[in-house]
Amino acid sequence: MTENSQQRPDSGPNSHPELPTQYAPADVEGQLYERWVERGYFEADENSGKEPYTIVIPPPNVTGSLHLGHAFEHTIIDALTRRKRMQGFETLWQPGMDHAGIATQNVVERELAKEGVSRHDLGREAFVERVWQWKAESGGQISGQMRRLGDGVAWNRERFTMDEGLSKAVQTIFKKLYDDELIYRAERIINWCPRCLTAISDIEVEYQDDDGELVSIRYGEGDTSIVVATTRAETMLGDTAVAVHPDDERYRHLIGTEIELPLTGRRIPVVPDEHVDPEFGTGAVKVTPAHDPNDFEIGQRHGLPSLTVMDEHAVITAHGPFQGLDRLEARSAIVGALRADGRIVAEKRPYVHSVGHCSRCKTTIEPRLSMQWWVKVGPLAKAAGDAVRDGRVKIHPEDMAKRYFDWVDNLHDWCISRQLWWGHRIPVWYGPNGEVVCVGPDEQPPSGEGWHQDSDVLDTWFSSGLWPFSTLGWPEDTGSLRKFYPNSVLVTGYDILFFWVARMMMFGLYAMDGTPPFHTIALHGMVRDQFGKKMSKSFGNAVNPLDWMDQYGSDAVRFTLARGANPGVDVPIGEDWVQASRNFANKIWNATRFALMNGATVEGELPAPERLSAADRWILSRLNTVVAEVDAYYEDYQFAKLSDSLYHFAWDEVFDWYVELSKTTFAQGGEAANASRRVLGEVLDVMLRLLHPVVPFVTEKLWTALTGRESVVIADWPRDSGFRDAAAEREITTLQQVVTEVRRFRADQGLQPGQKVPARLDLSGTPLAVHEDAMRALLRLQPAGEDFTATASLPVAGATVALDLSGAIDVEAERKRLAKDLAAAEKDKAQTTAKLNNEAFLAKAPDHVVEKIRGRQSTAEADIARITAQLAALPQG
């Protein structure tokens, strides 16, 4: 299984640099990463004949810093790409950052506010220049943090969504969509943020339950009156109708008539509309077409006017006593005026209801009629759905596909314009006589008096939707595009399935002649704290992964995250788990030091099976099984399972058993010791290569020390040789059973782990005779002398281990302790049995109480059996 023949430039094949006694991640991680980058291991060659393997980074915001979610996602992607690189693929992990329109503009505006300046004081051109300056000085700190984590990205290909090439891609696809009549401008209801002063898309609205008020208002008089309920009383100033269901007998006589709108003096019609639910509330709804999306649709169906009664700051503009009031001030004032006028029928406070908030600044959004640019998503969304349905793109795990279809099959047209200054400006010019001209990247915009460009910029997701192909040079026909498109897999969180994934699917299929942007969409969950709670600064449970990296090393953080990575499932993580992963890295370090100190080697062919001990053949057989398991788990994106498989193989089998068994072999010397040295070298070589994609730093340090070769980054990925030895596996399993049972007995008798006792081993009915020396070493058993008297005898798996404990423990004291424990267990069994036999108790007690008592009874019964066996095994006297 050792295929790689690379040589390290500064070391011969038999040179094993001495390893420090302890592993100190801070001393090795930084220098190892810089060496990898300097040697170009992560760069991708578009001209190579190798099969490509491509993954794009979900571009982090230029305002961002590394959080545990990034670290989790990057660990998964890095593991996939490191393995594929070792398998011989031309591997590209494409890095880059997103300009993050609203977020970045907000950051820079806050910086300006500290200077007492607004963006309007600077003007658009100077403000944008200031943002570029901020980006150069302060943006993108995440790149340095990615290096800390060990991300194997192709740094020479790093892109930014506002750089020249990607800007050309944005302008190109906008022009193409516009010419194909898939982009249009229209006045519709949008989500408006009064703080950011821009439209935001549906998926950028976060809903949460807020305390509000529900007021019921009587419109009209007497028999012609109708009661409507609302949580936004201020919008009534823009009502242009009341709607009822056409089949509602209560209001049929009012359909087609007009009633008076309170406080305004206006009369508005009563219209029939099947959208109204006659079973909800009073069965009548107020219709405000300019300030509610459902009302806008009703208004379109009935030709109702749309009256805008609030400006972009959510301040009332409607003429009257409420003009100039903020929406919340107006709400209170209007309810007060209606109450004074006798129009309030009912009030409910607090009224908890779901309210939309801007995902950026958390301000309550305001539905608002506005002229905006839109993408007609119908044909694009159908193509995105078809690509998954017909199998061209696979979603993993499969059960996430339903969420994807629920989204793309019901997608509304996408509002792509934003009232910001930072971003890709919409490439449309307006002329003095109403002309509208969309300009492509190689075209000259119209000029002359009266011509001006649209002031809006594009939604950030518009440019990031092009990421899989714009980063490869599209719209140019580049070698990179031909080599690395489509991407092999997209690794991203299920939480942005709708934000980003659907956009990339729509644009990739549209721009690349029906070729989807990736073959597989691998969705992962979100990182949560150890109790399963969402991490948040406001909750006080947010963790800076750099702090853990400083304390425990990057490998420990990565391994902890990988061990929790079940597809599509959230990942709980706690600091004690990172500590355990640090201990695992230390264990690998110590085991490899032991191997090097005892002459373990990777040189030469493995000895033939007949020249190997059962322990050698067992560990090689298990090694091949683990290689096959890990490969299968990688192909199924089962990172938790592959990490667990490697952890238990390394710790439970290699370190706890094979290394311990080899100590006896090495002490005996001879050909058997030489064979085991080669086998131990082979096992560590393959194991370190298997572990490398997840824990790259410690494995690099150890593998190069073990093999004398250049780097595990460019080593061959292990292959299953097919070697299996069921007989050797059974033999060592029997040895493990005997040793484990005797160890348990020793512990039960209160013996210290290192305390030696005389023993006689009868192994005649087993294949374990050749292992007696190793078993004695593992169990701290001395040879039986002439005066040996067995005080305890343990039959296990066909073997018998007789022990003389007379000088090792105070038998009488131990008997008294066990007798006391037995009495307590018998008492607990009697009490629980009495309760469970009491029909009256069972009839009244809750199920969980009964189950708890049954559990106590089972525990008591197990304790009685265990203690009775321990008493029987004590020396008699």
Side-chain angles (χ1 to χ4, degrees):
M1 283 177 285
T2 303
E3 305 92 354
N4 196 283
S5 60
Q6 56 171 312
Q7 295 295 313
R8 193 171 60 204
D10 55 350
S11 178
N14 296 309
S15 173
H16 297 313
E18 186 174 341
L19 294 170
T21 55
Q22 290 184 323
Y23 177 50
D27 294 343
V28 301
E29 291 179 350
Q31 60 179 330
L32 286 181
Y33 189 84
E34 291 310 312
R35 184 188 305 162
W36 293 336
V37 172
E38 288 168 6
R39 292 179 178 176
Y41 293 156
F42 305 140
E43 299 305 325
D45 181 4
E46 65 195 45
N47 297 312
S48 80
K50 298 178 182 178
E51 185 179 347
Y53 185 82
T54 315
I55 294 181
V56 293
I57 194 172
N61 289 351
V62 69
T63 58
S65 60
L66 194 73
H67 55 64
L68 270 178
H70 287 125
F72 172 54
E73 186 168 77
H74 290 199
T75 295
I76 292 175
I77 298 175
D78 197 42
L80 287 171
T81 52
R82 284 179 183 269
R83 173 175 175 260
K84 286 296 182 180
R85 188 178 293 112
M86 295 171 75
Q87 288 181 315
F89 286 78
E90 192 61 53
T91 303
L92 169 60
W93 181 8
Q94 174 66 53
M97 287 182 290
D98 195 297
H99 66 281
I102 296 176
T104 305
Q105 180 157 317
N106 283 347
V107 167
V108 177
E109 285 196 81
R110 284 197 294 271
E111 293 296 311
L112 289 174
K114 295 175 184 176
E115 304 169 15
V117 178
S118 74
R119 63 181 166 113
H120 299 285
D121 295 328
L122 291 180
R124 183 167 192 149
E125 186 174 336
F127 175 76
V128 171
E129 181 59 36
R130 182 67 178 263
V131 179
W132 278 108
Q133 180 184 336
W134 175 87
K135 191 258 180 186
E137 295 173 356
S138 306
Q141 61 175 310
I142 202 169
S143 296
Q145 296 165 341
M146 286 167 60
R147 293 170 181 264
R148 282 288 312 278
L149 189 63
D151 288 0
V153 300
W155 287 113
N156 289 346
R157 292 172 173 265
E158 187 174 13
R159 304 302 299 268
F160 179 54
T161 52
M162 285 282 286
D163 68 25
E164 184 178 351
L166 271 67
S167 294
K168 182 177 182 180
V170 168
Q171 199 170 349
T172 299
I173 202 163
F174 187 99
K175 171 71 171 174
K176 179 174 170 59
L177 288 163
Y178 182 87
D179 290 346
D180 288 345
E181 298 184 350
L182 292 173
I183 281 184
Y184 63 94
R185 192 170 185 242
E187 191 174 45
R188 290 189 177 178
I189 292 285
I190 47 90
N191 302 298
W192 182 264
C193 176
R195 158 62 185 81
C196 298
L197 298 180
T198 183
I200 60 175
S201 65
D202 290 344
I203 52 179
E204 292 171 303
V205 178
E206 293 179 349
Y207 287 90
Q208 66 183 50
D209 288 341
D210 286 357
D211 286 344
E213 61 180 347
L214 180 68
V215 294
S216 298
I217 310 168
R218 178 171 53 84
Y219 287 15
E221 303 290 346
D223 292 339
T224 62
S225 66
I226 295 180
V227 175
V228 299
T230 181
T231 58
R232 300 165 64 219
E234 68 279 9
T235 62
M236 68 163 292
L237 301 176
D239 286 358
T240 56
V242 171
V244 297
H245 194 277
D247 298 330
D248 193 332
E249 294 292 340
R250 294 170 295 176
Y251 304 116
R252 183 168 289 179
H253 67 289
L254 293 177
I255 293 175
T257 66
E258 291 185 341
I259 58 176
E260 184 175 339
L261 177 65
L263 305 182
T264 67
R266 288 193 291 112
R267 296 186 67 79
I268 57 176
V270 178
V271 298
D273 199 280
E274 292 188 352
H275 168 77
V276 179
D277 180 1
E279 303 299 323
F280 183 77
T282 63
V285 298
K286 56 191 287 301
V287 182
T288 321
H291 294 279
D292 183 273
N294 292 324
D295 293 2
F296 177 79
E297 297 297 331
I298 294 174
Q300 292 290 296
R301 289 194 287 273
H302 297 279
L304 301 174
S306 297
L307 302 181
T308 300
V309 296
M310 273 180 269
D311 66 12
E312 64 269 23
H313 299 280
V315 170
I316 300 296
T317 57
H319 184 70
F322 312 108
Q323 188 173 14
L325 294 180
D326 170 82
R327 58 182 165 170
L328 298 182
E329 296 172 332
R331 182 176 302 170
S332 178
I334 286 170
V335 170
L338 289 168
R339 191 183 299 113
D341 202 23
R343 293 285 177 176
I344 299 295
V345 175
E347 297 180 66
K348 185 175 181 180
R349 293 191 191 87
Y351 178 72
V352 179
H353 61 132
S354 182
V355 177
H357 296 259
C358 173
S359 62
R360 301 296 181 185
C361 70
K362 312 308 177 187
T363 300
T364 301
I365 63 104
E366 189 65 43
R368 186 167 186 261
L369 187 63
S370 180
M371 182 68 76
Q372 301 286 344
W373 285 95
W374 304 80
V375 171
K376 186 184 296 182
V377 300
L380 302 176
K382 182 181 183 303
D386 289 346
V388 175
R389 286 190 170 93
D390 63 25
R392 282 176 290 157
V393 178
K394 298 187 183 302
I395 292 180
H396 191 279
E398 290 182 5
D399 58 7
M400 286 284 178
K402 183 181 184 301
R403 299 180 66 175
Y404 175 79
F405 292 133
D406 287 346
W407 179 256
V408 298
D409 292 348
N410 299 284
L411 204 55
H412 298 296
D413 284 0
W414 173 18
C415 177
I416 55 171
S417 46
R418 299 290 181 269
Q419 289 65 56
L420 304 170
W421 288 357
W422 172 244
H424 295 281
R425 196 164 174 182
I426 288 176
V428 171
W429 272 255
Y430 304 106
N433 299 310
E435 301 95 333
V436 179
V437 177
C438 180
V439 177
D442 300 319
E443 300 171 351
Q444 287 294 322
S447 59
E449 187 176 349
W451 283 94
H452 64 281
Q453 186 178 359
D454 195 299
S455 60
D456 288 351
V457 300
L458 288 163
D459 176 13
T460 297
W461 298 104
F462 191 95
S463 51
S464 59
L466 314 180
W467 193 246
F469 50 95
S470 63
T471 51
L472 298 173
W474 188 90
E476 305 303 325
D477 182 20
T478 66
S480 289
L481 192 64
R482 291 193 298 272
K483 178 79 172 182
F484 296 112
Y485 187 91
N487 292 185
S488 306
V489 61
L490 173 75
V491 176
T492 192
Y494 64 71
D495 56 319
I496 58 172
L497 181 61
F498 315 131
F499 286 81
W500 188 44
V501 179
R503 311 302 190 205
M504 287 189 290
M505 285 286 285
M506 291 191 296
F507 281 170
L509 289 158
Y510 174 74
M512 301 301 292
D513 299 321
T515 301
F518 18 73
H519 297 301
T520 301
I521 301 168
L523 298 170
H524 59 73
M526 301 175 70
V527 177
R528 297 182 178 273
D529 71 13
Q530 64 199 74
F531 306 108
K533 190 174 181 181
K534 181 180 178 181
M535 285 192 173
S536 166
K537 290 181 180 178
S538 60
F539 294 155
N541 63 350
V543 173
N544 182 348
L546 295 176
D547 292 340
W548 280 354
M549 288 184 213
D550 289 342
Q551 191 166 358
Y552 305 111
S554 297
D555 284 334
V557 174
R558 290 172 61 117
F559 193 70
T560 304
L561 291 165
R563 286 193 78 184
N566 291 297
V569 178
D570 289 346
V571 183
I573 185 171
E575 187 169 3
D576 54 339
W577 302 341
V578 186
Q579 291 173 351
S581 295
R582 186 267 317 273
N583 295 344
F584 180 51
N586 289 342
K587 190 77 171 178
I588 302 170
W589 183 270
N590 292 335
T592 307
R593 283 190 74 250
F594 165 82
L596 290 172
M597 291 168 62
N598 284 275
T601 181
V602 299
E603 298 306 317
E605 296 295 324
L606 280 170
E610 59 270 18
R611 293 178 52 206
L612 298 176
S613 69
D616 293 335
R617 287 181 279 114
W618 161 72
I619 199 65
L620 289 175
S621 182
R622 289 292 305 129
L623 178 65
N624 278 288
T625 298
V626 170
V627 170
E629 283 179 358
V630 169
D631 275 333
Y633 287 142
Y634 262 113
E635 295 306 314
D636 200 34
Y637 304 98
Q638 297 279 0
F639 290 91
K641 289 182 178 179
L642 74 88
S643 299
D644 246 21
S645 178
L646 287 169
Y647 175 88
H648 289 295
F649 172 71
W651 198 305
D652 299 347
E653 298 185 79
V654 178
F655 306 152
D656 281 357
W657 289 103
Y658 185 70
V659 166
E660 292 302 314
L661 290 170
S662 68
K663 289 178 180 178
T664 302
T665 308
F666 294 156
Q668 292 170 343
E671 284 302 311
N674 289 333
S676 290
R677 289 187 181 99
R678 179 64 187 87
V679 170
L680 181 55
E682 179 77 6
V683 170
L684 289 176
D685 168 22
V686 173
M687 188 187 76
L688 290 170
R689 283 187 279 150
L690 289 173
L691 281 165
H692 172 73
V694 180
V695 284
F697 294 108
V698 69
T699 51
E700 171 79 343
K701 191 72 176 175
L702 295 175
W703 189 83
T704 53
L706 175 71
T707 66
R709 297 179 181 134
E710 181 181 340
S711 174
V712 70
V713 177
I714 54 172
D716 292 328
W717 181 252
R719 292 195 291 267
D720 175 7
S721 72
F723 175 77
R724 300 290 191 279
D725 192 323
E729 291 197 34
R730 286 194 299 271
E731 183 172 326
I732 300 304
T733 298
T734 303
L735 181 149
Q736 291 172 328
Q737 289 174 340
V738 175
V739 171
T740 301
E741 189 58 35
V742 175
R743 281 175 171 170
R744 183 181 296 118
F745 177 77
R746 286 175 54 102
D748 287 343
Q749 302 308 315
L751 270 66
Q752 296 301 311
Q755 189 174 356
K756 294 184 177 182
V757 295
R760 179 176 291 129
L761 277 63
D762 180 2
L763 308 174
S764 56
T766 73
L768 301 182
V770 296
H771 302 291
E772 180 167 348
D773 288 347
M775 294 171 69
R776 285 186 177 278
L778 291 168
L779 292 169
R780 304 296 192 268
L781 301 180
Q782 295 173 327
E786 292 183 2
D787 58 346
F788 176 81
T789 302
T791 59
S793 183
L794 298 174
V796 186
T800 302
V801 180
L803 303 162
D804 179 3
L805 304 179
S806 57
I809 60 173
D810 184 335
V811 176
E812 285 308 310
E814 185 66 11
R815 196 185 304 281
K816 288 179 181 178
R817 183 184 70 81
L818 290 173
K820 183 178 179 182
D821 290 346
L822 180 61
E826 288 175 336
K827 180 181 179 181
D828 204 27
K829 180 187 176 184
Q831 289 176 341
T832 55
T833 301
K835 283 189 175 182
L836 293 173
N837 289 337
N838 185 333
E839 294 296 334
F841 168 77
L842 293 176
K844 294 179 182 179
D847 289 346
H848 73 275
V849 172
V850 175
E851 284 306 310
K852 185 176 181 181
I853 292 173
R854 284 201 178 104
R856 281 177 53 200
Q857 183 189 53
S858 297
T859 300
E861 289 171 344
D863 287 345
I864 291 169
R866 175 179 55 81
I867 297 167
T868 300
Q870 288 175 238
L871 282 166
L874 284 174
Q876 302 301 312

PDB file of all heavy atoms in Angstrom, residues 607-612 617:
ATOM      1  N   PRO A 607       6.903  -8.108   4.341  1.00  0.00           N
ATOM      2  CA  PRO A 607       7.176  -9.548   4.350  1.00  0.00           C
ATOM      3  C   PRO A 607       5.949 -10.331   3.898  1.00  0.00           C
ATOM      4  O   PRO A 607       4.809  -9.885   4.050  1.00  0.00           O
ATOM      5  CB  PRO A 607       7.520  -9.835   5.810  1.00  0.00           C
ATOM      6  CG  PRO A 607       7.934  -8.524   6.375  1.00  0.00           C
ATOM      7  CD  PRO A 607       7.119  -7.487   5.661  1.00  0.00           C
ATOM      8  N   ALA A 608       6.183 -11.510   3.343  1.00  0.00           N
ATOM      9  CA  ALA A 608       5.083 -12.380   2.941  1.00  0.00           C
ATOM     10  C   ALA A 608       4.250 -12.740   4.170  1.00  0.00           C
ATOM     11  O   ALA A 608       4.778 -12.810   5.291  1.00  0.00           O
ATOM     12  CB  ALA A 608       5.626 -13.645   2.289  1.00  0.00           C
ATOM     13  N   PRO A 609       2.937 -12.967   4.005  1.00  0.00           N
ATOM     14  CA  PRO A 609       2.065 -13.252   5.154  1.00  0.00           C
ATOM     15  C   PRO A 609       2.567 -14.392   6.038  1.00  0.00           C
ATOM     16  O   PRO A 609       2.438 -14.328   7.263  1.00  0.00           O
ATOM     17  CB  PRO A 609       0.727 -13.603   4.488  1.00  0.00           C
ATOM     18  CG  PRO A 609       0.738 -12.854   3.199  1.00  0.00           C
ATOM     19  CD  PRO A 609       2.171 -12.878   2.744  1.00  0.00           C
ATOM     20  N   GLU A 610       3.158 -15.440   5.418  1.00  0.00           N
ATOM     21  CA  GLU A 610       3.605 -16.567   6.229  1.00  0.00           C
ATOM     22  C   GLU A 610       4.772 -16.211   7.139  1.00  0.00           C
ATOM     23  O   GLU A 610       5.090 -16.954   8.078  1.00  0.00           O
ATOM     24  CB  GLU A 610       3.966 -17.765   5.338  1.00  0.00           C
ATOM     25  CG  GLU A 610       5.058 -17.492   4.325  1.00  0.00           C
ATOM     26  CD  GLU A 610       4.511 -16.989   2.991  1.00  0.00           C
ATOM     27  OE1 GLU A 610       3.328 -16.529   2.953  1.00  0.00           O
ATOM     28  OE2 GLU A 610       5.234 -17.075   1.985  1.00  0.00           O
ATOM     29  N   ARG A 611       5.428 -15.076   6.876  1.00  0.00           N
ATOM     30  CA  ARG A 611       6.539 -14.642   7.730  1.00  0.00           C
ATOM     31  C   ARG A 611       6.078 -13.657   8.810  1.00  0.00           C
ATOM     32  O   ARG A 611       6.876 -13.155   9.580  1.00  0.00           O
ATOM     33  CB  ARG A 611       7.626 -13.978   6.883  1.00  0.00           C
ATOM     34  CG  ARG A 611       8.351 -14.935   5.929  1.00  0.00           C
ATOM     35  CD  ARG A 611       9.375 -14.185   5.104  1.00  0.00           C
ATOM     36  NE  ARG A 611      10.276 -13.399   5.947  1.00  0.00           N
ATOM     37  CZ  ARG A 611      10.918 -12.306   5.526  1.00  0.00           C
ATOM     38  NH1 ARG A 611      10.750 -11.866   4.281  1.00  0.00           N
ATOM     39  NH2 ARG A 611      11.718 -11.649   6.341  1.00  0.00           N
ATOM     40  N   LEU A 612       4.783 -13.391   8.822  1.00  0.00           N
ATOM     41  CA  LEU A 612       4.242 -12.419   9.771  1.00  0.00           C
ATOM     42  C   LEU A 612       3.548 -13.123  10.930  1.00  0.00           C
ATOM     43  O   LEU A 612       2.981 -14.209  10.765  1.00  0.00           O
ATOM     44  CB  LEU A 612       3.239 -11.498   9.073  1.00  0.00           C
ATOM     45  CG  LEU A 612       3.782 -10.627   7.932  1.00  0.00           C
ATOM     46  CD1 LEU A 612       2.636  -9.856   7.290  1.00  0.00           C
ATOM     47  CD2 LEU A 612       4.849  -9.667   8.444  1.00  0.00           C
ATOM     48  N   ARG A 617      -0.563  -9.822  10.874  1.00  0.00           N
ATOM     49  CA  ARG A 617      -1.570 -10.088   9.850  1.00  0.00           C
ATOM     50  C   ARG A 617      -2.922  -9.488  10.237  1.00  0.00           C
ATOM     51  O   ARG A 617      -3.662  -8.985   9.391  1.00  0.00           O
ATOM     52  CB  ARG A 617      -1.688 -11.597   9.622  1.00  0.00           C
ATOM     53  CG  ARG A 617      -0.495 -12.167   8.866  1.00  0.00           C
ATOM     54  CD  ARG A 617      -0.616 -13.663   8.615  1.00  0.00           C
ATOM     55  NE  ARG A 617      -0.230 -14.435   9.795  1.00  0.00           N
ATOM     56  CZ  ARG A 617      -1.049 -15.189  10.509  1.00  0.00           C
ATOM     57  NH1 ARG A 617      -2.319 -15.301  10.164  1.00  0.00           N
ATOM     58  NH2 ARG A 617      -0.602 -15.862  11.565  1.00  0.00           N
TER      59      ARG A 617
END
